[in-house]
Amino acid sequence: MESRASDEPLPMDVELQLPKEPPKIHRLDQSVVNRIAAGEVIQRPVSAVKELVENSIDANSSSINVTIKDGGLKLIQVSDDGHGIRYEDLSILCERHTTSKLSSFEDLWSIKSMGFRGEALASMTYVGHVTVTTITKGQLHGYRVSYRDGVMEHEPKACAAVKGTQIMVENLFYNMAARRKTLQNSADDYSKIVDLISRFAIHHINVGFSCRKHGAMRADVHTVATSSRLDAIGSVYGVSVARNLMEIEASNDDPSGSPFEMHGFISNADYAAKKITMVLFINDRLVECSALKRAIEVVYSATLPKASKPFIYMTIVVPPENVDVNVHPTKREVSLLNQEVILEKIQTLVESRLRSSNDARTFQEETTEPSSSCYVKPCKEANLSPLVLGSKSQKIPVHKMVRTDSLNPFGRLHAYMDTQPIGHLDKSASLTAVRSSVRQRRYPNDSSGCVTVQQLLDEINSSCHSGLLDIVRHCTYIGMADDVFALLQHNTHLYLANVVNLSKELMYQQVLSRLEHFNAIQLSDPAPLKDLIMLALKEEDVDPESIENDAFKEKVAEMNTNLLKQKADVLEFHFCIHIDQHGNLSRLPVILDQYTPDMDRLPEFVLSLGNDVDWNDEKKMFQTIAATLGDFYAMHPPLLPNPSGEGLRFYKKRKLGCAEQNPCNTTGNDEISENDVDHELLSEAELAWSQREWSIQHVLFPSMRLFFKPPASMATNGTFVQVASLEKLYKIFERC
Ligand code: ADP
Ligand code: MG
């Protein structure tokens, strides 16, 4: 094998310099050997991030945070809350082939950890400056130490530290000029890192991940530990991806054959993307397997030509002795015993799954009656919006060719995936059938609830405004124009749309159509209704001091609590609102996946559940509870003022402001700060606002496309306002 000792370019006249005599063979200097090896293990910044994150996972962490500066060339920082590194081990930590994970060669056959070669940290010290800060359980303080070329630069220094380990790699490839130059010119290293963390995040769902650029408020990947793989996929890749996935499973437990277990999610016919996403883990190791990828791609092209670039998440487990992890220095590729047999089994399974889902879909399309004006006739180009079809057949004047394709992310502030209405209609149609048959079985005599709710749903359908529906289905979300209005583009028109009104109505509609079929949001601490109602009453009050008033409020709170306790069964059964016999609220419904309401509004909600619901008339009861839930779950502006722009003044510290920040915990973050701003409150507000914006873009608008029936009243009550017609704007520009 040939290797060049450095990244220096070869001289142009190589041939002329070739010696006539056989050259003398000599032993390479150890430092050269190490640098060559390091260059192989750490090929790009993303390889360093992978090694560091794998170490954090091996250390049993439950939260891993990655910060990147300059695509990783300036800084890679990975912090975890794992078991830490012992003081005694720090001196050899970064030497080559030092590991805590492997002792004998035979261990390789049962290895469960990601690392085992003891090369990663060492390699990083040969091509970058590594600083480790770590603390182990039961210690009063941690240690920080820097490494260069495998050895410590100084004795470890005692320092304050939070649980776990933080590893910083600075100035990567500082001593490899050519590599640094190539990488500097490529802009995509950060996106490679984001992609990597996204993949880890949907596999290791018991670990919370974040990945952000240094100094950025918002993380580009952010997950919390969860027990649902679909939730994790939704929060990383978007709800619209998660919604279009089918679960697959296969196994072969015949030990004489090729035992394996496979579990995964694969996209259905409604998922459309420009390129395939394949996230593959074999024995918990993130790997690539081009043979498997190809095999699946072939099946998709043959079965679902319109959705031939699938999203695949797959985890395969084989007996450790059947997989050779040691075939690649970065452990990216593995080879499996009986690979062909396994691949073929998986390929056959994927194919039959796709065929059966596709058949069901066709069947639905043929038999479902178009239920309302929103039904889109299935056509060959089902995955193109009607407008794009139009643009194919007739020539569009240049001045009208503006971001009209809502399925094409070009020009959006943030691109997001889309789904087609047809598939959804199918699903909801079959779902409704299943629901009513289940209901019939469980409650053979209960037809009335069904009827009144159906009346409400019919009302929603009949008041649906077809023009607005078209806007909602095919608009492009551009961004928030202010705290309440989003800017949308539809064909050549720009609209402002009130997201509070929209989300309120959408939630209302969703409550009625999901009735009895909610997933639950479990409150970590059950909340006493009475306290919540008291809180809400006090907030409403103009004269909070009055004692007389207090006794009255207590009475109101008491009565409302009793009323809600009596209605607990109805609330639980239909709405997934759980109230225990002590009058504590412990569960709320998930109305839209990936979205929880602003809990600051919980007191108001409970009060209004007691006050505003009409319990006497069944239809009104469903209607008012759904409206109350709609109001609670609506995407109101957070209670803290928007910190961007004018609202920032709110966060100026009052005279007796908060305590000084602890300097020990702010390592690596040197871009602070105007001292007169209350940073804690400010970052709380920033988080609340950015989460809301995320939800508006990734939950509200994608869900509206699928489910929303905008009522006619919205055309005139200021919910939608047309602000400009691009054709007219173009005319103005032409004159300039
Ligand atoms: P390997 O992972 O192959 O053992 P590395 O060079 O990646 O080799 O790491 C060397 C050793 O350092 C690991 O075996 C582990 O004991 C320790 N280590 C590295 N990173 C961490 C971390 N984040 N938390 C705890 N221990 C760590
Ligand atoms: Mg490692």
Side-chain angles (χ1 to χ4, degrees), residues 85-93 134 143 145 147 152 156:
I85 302 166
R86 279 189 288 200
Y87 172 77
E88 309 84 83
D89 294 340
L90 287 173
S91 60
I92 59 159
L93 174 73
T134 186
Y143 287 97
V145 55
Y147 296 83
M152 295 200 293

Side-chain angles (χ1 to χ4, degrees), residues 294-421:
R294 190 78 205 111
I296 293 181
E297 229 176 352
V298 165
V299 172
Y300 268 85
S301 310
T303 336
L304 303 177
K306 299 276 178 243
S308 62
K309 300 285 174 219
F311 177 97
I312 310 284
Y313 162 80
M314 199 174 273
T315 162
I316 301 176
V317 179
V318 295
E321 63 274 16
N322 285 7
V323 51
D324 188 357
V325 286
N326 197 20
V327 293
H328 194 275
T330 64
K331 300 167 243 120
R332 196 182 63 214
E333 273 154 37
V334 291
S335 81
L336 291 178
L337 195 67
N338 297 331
Q339 185 158 305
E340 283 69 37
V341 182
I342 296 181
L343 294 198
E344 208 190 305
K345 282 224 155 81
I346 294 178
Q347 190 180 31
T348 316
L349 174 78
V350 171
E351 183 175 0
S352 72
R353 194 77 170 78
L354 292 183
R355 288 210 187 283
S356 60
S357 78
N358 210 21
D359 289 349
R361 191 176 130 91
T362 322
F363 174 71
Q364 286 290 346
E365 277 169 10
E366 280 161 5
T367 54
T368 317
E369 279 281 300
S371 58
S372 68
S373 58
C374 63
Y375 186 76
V376 181
K377 206 168 178 306
C379 57
K380 271 198 177 153
E381 278 89 351
N383 55 353
L384 297 173
S385 69
L387 199 103
V388 180
L389 290 180
S391 71
K392 266 186 155 183
S393 51
Q394 72 204 61
K395 235 173 167 258
I396 298 276
V398 178
H399 70 284
K400 285 196 177 181
M401 289 173 73
V402 281
R403 211 163 45 203
T404 45
D405 174 6
S406 61
L407 301 178
N408 176 358
F410 175 75
R412 276 184 234 191
L413 293 191
H414 307 277
Y416 58 89
M417 297 309 219
D418 195 12
T419 49
Q420 275 89 56

Side-chain angles (χ1 to χ4, degrees), residues 261-313:
E261 269 174 30
M262 183 277 285
H263 180 244
F265 288 94
I266 61 173
S267 54
N268 62 19
D270 294 331
Y271 174 86
K274 294 226 162 63
K275 61 184 190 16
I276 175 169
T277 305
M278 169 122 190
V279 182
L280 174 65
F281 283 79
I282 297 184
N283 286 8
D284 279 335
R285 222 169 265 283
L286 175 61
V287 290
E288 292 191 3
C289 179
S290 39
L292 179 59
K293 187 172 171 184
R294 190 78 205 111
I296 293 181
E297 229 176 352
V298 165
V299 172
Y300 268 85
S301 310
T303 336
L304 303 177
K306 299 276 178 243
S308 62
K309 300 285 174 219
F311 177 97
I312 310 284
Y313 162 80

